[in-house]
Amino acid sequence: MSVIVKEVEKNSPADKAGIKSGDTLISLNGEQIVDVLDYRFYQNNSFIIAEIIDNKGEQRSIKIEKDEYSELGLIFDTYLMDEKHFCKNKCIFCFIDQLPRGLRKSLYFKDDDSRLSFLFGNYITLTNLTDHEINRIIKMHISPINISVHTTNPSLRVKMMRNENAGNVLEIIDRFNEADIKINCQLVLCPGFNDGDELLSTLKDLTSKKNVECIAAVPVGLTKFRDKLTPLSPFNEQTAGAVLDIIDRIGDECIEKWGERRVYGSDEFYLLSKREIPNAEYYGDFLQLENGVGLWSLLKSESNDALLDLKDNFDVDSNPRKVSIATGVAAYPLIKQIADKCMALDNTLCCNVYPIKNDFFGEKITVAGLVTATDIINQLKDKELGEELLIPSVMLRSEGDMFLDSITLEELSSTLNVKITPVDNDGYALCDAIFGITI
């Protein structure tokens, strides 16, 4: 295997050594370069011999000296240096299988790529990993690694993921654990499948491993587009509460054994069970925010601190301001609470908060990250929005410009005739946005 160099950064170590755009990189210090993991790992040395094939087709060895861990300076066609690895599972709970037709093509791609776990924190199932890739992760000590486990029961995991390779997850986790690689785990729970006693068994298996540092349990997301898919039921107040009972029990045991909780339920489980969400201290270092674990508490804590800071430095002569916020149904109570506190601090401020019911995917979907522009338009077109509409930035794709239904931020702003500002999930940023404070 080899990769073609697209560009060479000017004045970089590679540029000074004479590597050119169009050259083919074969190896660094004798180690074959197949993809981004190889490149990023083997470029860290201070002395490198790069084996290349130049534009004339001649193979050459180039000596490069640089600071240890500094960038070599090569740029490739893609950040992975090859194609993404496609998920080979057919999970009964897969959200992508529940998407309607007609969305942009990229939304239907299922990735299961260990390199994305290393680069961006994506979760992988381990079912696509070869023994070579497992050994490479151990050799390079890629840590932490994020794993979608769901269950440690081999036969149940095969049944739920519809992949005959799914049953050896615990064996691979054991290998990573023994190599002192930190592991974060995700469990998508489906009532009647991997909750109850199965959940208890899974948590006992995982929490027995020293290097499994955090486990997040999230409820299955069910859209209205589940025709011909495995019948699944949503969690209710009783079943969600039962999950939290198990999580609390195992979490308490982890505190006794490891000195930290390690096991957490997503905010959605607390909302479904109508239980109070724990305070920020409960969540430790907030290792599972991307799974919706502790988002509520962190936002609440940050906004309270932000309002205390603003109270001490508040301009009582500020101009009247009218603003609105669109959010998901699940987050609405907290966002409304924060908006009310802001208005209590400034009686010239008016902030309307609108919960957007998810008609696009179905009312069982309540998180802000799956709200579409279509639903925002339909539900806010006749509302008083004021001078600015704030939305959670998670409603947009990573580029920050487009909703799931491919309507752009600019198009939404034009349709509703209001300035729209995406706001990160940060209590300070939210309070600043509500008051119109810019830094």
Side-chain angles (χ1 to χ4, degrees), residues 100-213:
R101 294 182 179 180
L103 300 179
R104 61 182 181 273
K105 186 177 179 180
S106 61
L107 293 175
Y108 299 99
F109 181 83
K110 305 177 186 180
D111 78 74
D112 192 13
D113 200 317
S114 60
R115 299 163 304 179
L116 295 177
S117 180
F118 167 64
L119 293 170
F120 304 115
N122 292 28
Y123 278 75
I124 59 173
T125 67
L126 306 182
T127 58
N128 286 337
L129 286 186
T130 64
D131 202 57
H132 166 76
E133 289 171 315
I134 294 170
N135 288 330
R136 182 172 70 163
I137 289 170
I138 292 171
K139 178 181 180 181
M140 295 181 178
H141 202 265
I142 295 172
S143 182
I145 190 163
N146 302 318
I147 303 173
S148 292
V149 177
H150 313 311
T151 178
T152 55
N153 178 332
S155 60
L156 178 60
R157 196 167 194 258
V158 168
K159 177 182 178 181
M160 293 186 69
M161 303 180 76
R162 295 176 180 172
N163 186 325
E164 61 183 9
N165 296 323
N168 64 346
V169 63
L170 208 51
E171 297 172 20
I172 301 174
I173 288 175
D174 280 336
R175 291 175 65 180
F176 291 153
N177 180 63
E178 290 167 6
D180 206 30
I181 291 173
K182 301 299 182 185
I183 302 164
N184 295 319
C185 297
Q186 174 199 65
L187 314 176
V188 176
L189 301 185
C190 303
F193 283 86
N194 58 340
D195 59 344
D197 289 342
E198 290 290 349
L199 172 61
L200 185 61
S201 177
T202 293
L203 292 180
K204 284 185 175 293
D205 285 339
L206 294 176
T207 57
S208 69
K209 315 298 179 187
K210 174 186 175 183
N211 289 301
V212 174
E213 60 180 8

Side-chain angles (χ1 to χ4, degrees), residues 345-360:
L345 189 59
D346 179 7
N347 58 18
T348 70
L349 172 69
C350 176
C351 182
N352 294 315
V353 183
Y354 298 107
I356 305 300
K357 184 177 67 173
N358 204 317
D359 293 322
F360 191 91

Side-chain angles (χ1 to χ4, degrees), residues 16-58:
K16 292 176 181 178
I19 297 179
K20 305 294 184 184
S21 172
D23 288 349
T24 299
L25 177 63
I26 299 173
S27 65
L28 297 175
N29 287 345
E31 299 288 349
Q32 189 178 48
I33 303 302
V34 175
D35 59 23
V36 66
L37 292 191
D38 294 323
Y39 174 70
R40 290 179 69 89
F41 185 74
Y42 294 115
Q43 73 159 346
N44 287 331
N45 295 324
S46 57
F47 180 78
I48 293 173
I49 297 178
E51 198 74 21
I52 68 160
I53 299 176
D54 63 23
N55 290 322
K56 298 178 182 179
E58 297 179 359

Side-chain angles (χ1 to χ4, degrees), residues 67-313:
D67 293 336
E68 190 175 14
Y69 299 111
S70 65
E71 292 290 325
L72 193 55
L74 301 181
I75 299 172
F76 305 91
D77 273 330
T78 66
Y79 55 83
L80 291 178
M81 297 166 63
D82 71 349
E83 297 299 319
K84 290 182 183 178
H85 293 171
F86 186 84
C87 181
K88 298 175 183 177
N89 308 314
K90 297 180 181 179
C91 299
I92 61 173
F93 49 81
C94 180
F95 193 84
I96 293 175
D97 289 342
Q98 302 177 69
L99 295 179
R101 294 182 179 180
L103 300 179
R104 61 182 181 273
K105 186 177 179 180
S106 61
L107 293 175
Y108 299 99
F109 181 83
K110 305 177 186 180
D111 78 74
D112 192 13
D113 200 317
S114 60
R115 299 163 304 179
L116 295 177
S117 180
F118 167 64
L119 293 170
F120 304 115
N122 292 28
Y123 278 75
I124 59 173
T125 67
L126 306 182
T127 58
N128 286 337
L129 286 186
T130 64
D131 202 57
H132 166 76
E133 289 171 315
I134 294 170
N135 288 330
R136 182 172 70 163
I137 289 170
I138 292 171
K139 178 181 180 181
M140 295 181 178
H141 202 265
I142 295 172
S143 182
I145 190 163
N146 302 318
I147 303 173
S148 292
V149 177
H150 313 311
T151 178
T152 55
N153 178 332
S155 60
L156 178 60
R157 196 167 194 258
V158 168
K159 177 182 178 181
M160 293 186 69
M161 303 180 76
R162 295 176 180 172
N163 186 325
E164 61 183 9
N165 296 323
N168 64 346
V169 63
L170 208 51
E171 297 172 20
I172 301 174
I173 288 175
D174 280 336
R175 291 175 65 180
F176 291 153
N177 180 63
E178 290 167 6
D180 206 30
I181 291 173
K182 301 299 182 185
I183 302 164
N184 295 319
C185 297
Q186 174 199 65
L187 314 176
V188 176
L189 301 185
C190 303
F193 283 86
N194 58 340
D195 59 344
D197 289 342
E198 290 290 349
L199 172 61
L200 185 61
S201 177
T202 293
L203 292 180
K204 284 185 175 293
D205 285 339
L206 294 176
T207 57
S208 69
K209 315 298 179 187
K210 174 186 175 183
N211 289 301
V212 174
E213 60 180 8
C214 197
I215 305 164
V218 303
V220 60
L222 303 175
T223 78
K224 64 184 181 182
F225 303 102
R226 287 195 57 84
D227 294 342
K228 299 179 182 179
L229 297 178
T230 301
L232 293 176
S233 302
F235 280 94
N236 56 34
E237 182 177 350
Q238 181 180 1
T239 55
V243 166
L244 291 178
D245 288 340
I246 293 172
I247 286 172
D248 287 342
R249 171 183 162 184
I250 301 299
D252 289 344
E253 291 178 4
C254 284
I255 292 174
E256 282 286 321
K257 183 173 184 178
W258 301 113
E260 54 190 2
R261 182 162 293 278
R262 294 198 172 189
V263 182
Y264 302 93
S266 69
D267 296 355
E268 197 171 355
F269 272 122
Y270 288 93
L271 296 173
L272 288 168
S273 65
K274 299 181 181 178
R275 296 187 182 184
E276 185 177 353
I277 295 177
N279 59 28
E281 289 71 27
Y282 175 91
Y283 294 98
D285 293 330
F286 290 97
L287 296 178
Q288 294 275 10
L289 288 173
E290 68 275 17
N291 278 313
V293 174
L295 281 173
W296 181 291
S297 291
L298 184 59
L299 186 63
K300 183 177 180 179
S301 175
E302 289 175 340
S303 62
N304 286 339
D305 290 344
L307 288 171
L308 283 175
D309 291 344
L310 288 168
K311 184 178 181 180
D312 293 336
N313 302 281

Side-chain angles (χ1 to χ4, degrees), residues 321-328 335 338-339 342 349-354 356 376 380 385-393 395 403 409 412 416 418-424 429-437:
R321 173 172 167 80
K322 191 167 189 176
V323 66
S324 53
I325 304 174
T327 190
I335 303 302
I338 294 171
C342 290
L349 172 69
C350 176
C351 182
N352 294 315
V353 183
Y354 298 107
I356 305 300
I376 294 175
L380 297 188
L385 301 179
E387 62 197 73
E388 188 175 8
L389 174 64
L390 309 177
I391 64 168
S393 59
M395 290 182 179
F403 293 83
L409 197 63
L412 178 62
L416 293 178
V418 66
K419 175 185 176 182
I420 299 178
T421 301
V423 182
D424 290 339
L430 177 58
C431 290
D432 283 350
I434 290 173
F435 285 113
I437 298 171

